[in-house]
Amino acid sequence: MMKLSMNAHVENQSGIALLAVMVILTMLTALGIAAITMTSMENTSAGYARTNEAGVQAAEACVQTGTQVIQQVLNAGAVPATLVQPAGPIVNAANLSPEILLLNTNNPDVPIGPAAAPNLQMNLPAVNPVYLVNGDIDKDFRKSSGGGFGEATNVTETFFTINCFAQNIATGAVTNVRAEYYCYVAGGDQTCKRQPT
């Protein structure tokens, strides 16, 4: 009789062992699924960060191009033909040249939107992700002085805003970089630099 109750006790414990193994397997499966989900979310987040950084770099390239355009137009007195599309980035030289040279102070050009008429347009980079970059150069104000207090004669200070939008062709995401530039012309010397923001 005692032998029979010992066997019954062993059989009851084997059922509990099976249940314990099933609970442990379920917990390990849940942990595995959570780890895979977290890794996938981190990869997606890293992809968004890379795409955003690429958009910022494309818009910054437009801003740097805008600075070069301003300096070349101020030096030459007109938009150099080498900068006009299809060879260069300038889309509407007719509007841009008078604006930089301060002949037209109320230019209605805008870089994006339904009525877009950007000054600059580029496709950056040449491989994926490709960004269509539109930029606008606007003169904010200009002041001149005749010298004095140790300044050179005929000093001209001009402030420009360069506003660039980089749109990812594949996703449609848009990144904007806006920069202020200060150009100082004294005699024949000219210096243009970015204003800290």
Side-chain angles (χ1 to χ4, degrees):
M1 183 101 163
M2 186 147 192
K3 193 171 188 182
L4 182 64
S5 97
M6 192 73 151
N7 284 340
H9 183 65
V10 169
E11 287 176 13
N12 287 343
Q13 286 186 4
S14 67
I16 290 177
L18 178 61
L19 182 61
V21 168
M22 293 299 287
V23 169
I24 291 171
L25 282 175
T26 303
M27 288 174 32
L28 289 175
T29 302
L31 285 173
I33 291 171
I36 290 170
T37 303
M38 289 298 291
T39 302
S40 175
M41 288 172 53
E42 287 175 6
N43 286 340
T44 302
S45 177
Y48 288 143
R50 279 191 304 271
T51 301
N52 187 43
E53 182 62 29
V56 169
Q57 289 175 357
E60 275 291 341
C62 170
V63 167
Q64 295 304 321
T65 299
T67 305
Q68 295 301 316
V69 166
I70 291 170
Q71 290 179 337
Q72 289 186 32
V73 170
L74 289 174
N75 286 337
V79 174
T82 56
L83 295 178
V84 179
Q85 283 190 353
I90 297 177
V91 179
N92 60 10
N95 284 349
L96 182 60
S97 183
E99 190 167 10
I100 291 176
L101 297 172
L102 309 172
L103 302 173
N104 180 2
T105 58
N106 189 15
N107 197 352
D109 53 353
V110 292
I112 61 169
N119 296 131
L120 308 171
Q121 193 169 63
M122 302 179 285
N123 286 322
L124 296 170
V127 294
N128 287 334
V130 176
Y131 288 87
L132 173 62
V133 184
N134 289 333
D136 181 42
I137 299 172
D138 289 319
K139 176 209 57 93
D140 290 333
F141 67 92
R142 177 186 198 178
K143 66 179 187 173
S144 298
S145 65
F149 302 107
E151 287 184 344
T153 57
N154 298 325
V155 173
T156 304
E157 297 172 299
T158 310
F159 296 83
F160 293 94
T161 298
I162 303 172
N163 197 9
C164 292
F165 293 84
Q167 180 179 16
N168 186 317
I169 299 297
T171 65
V174 177
T175 304
N176 176 233
V177 173
R178 180 183 173 107
E180 302 291 328
Y181 273 84
Y182 164 78
C183 294
Y184 177 85
V185 180
D189 296 328
Q190 173 185 297
T191 304
C192 290
K193 61 182 178 180
R194 191 170 186 164
Q195 291 288 94
T197 54

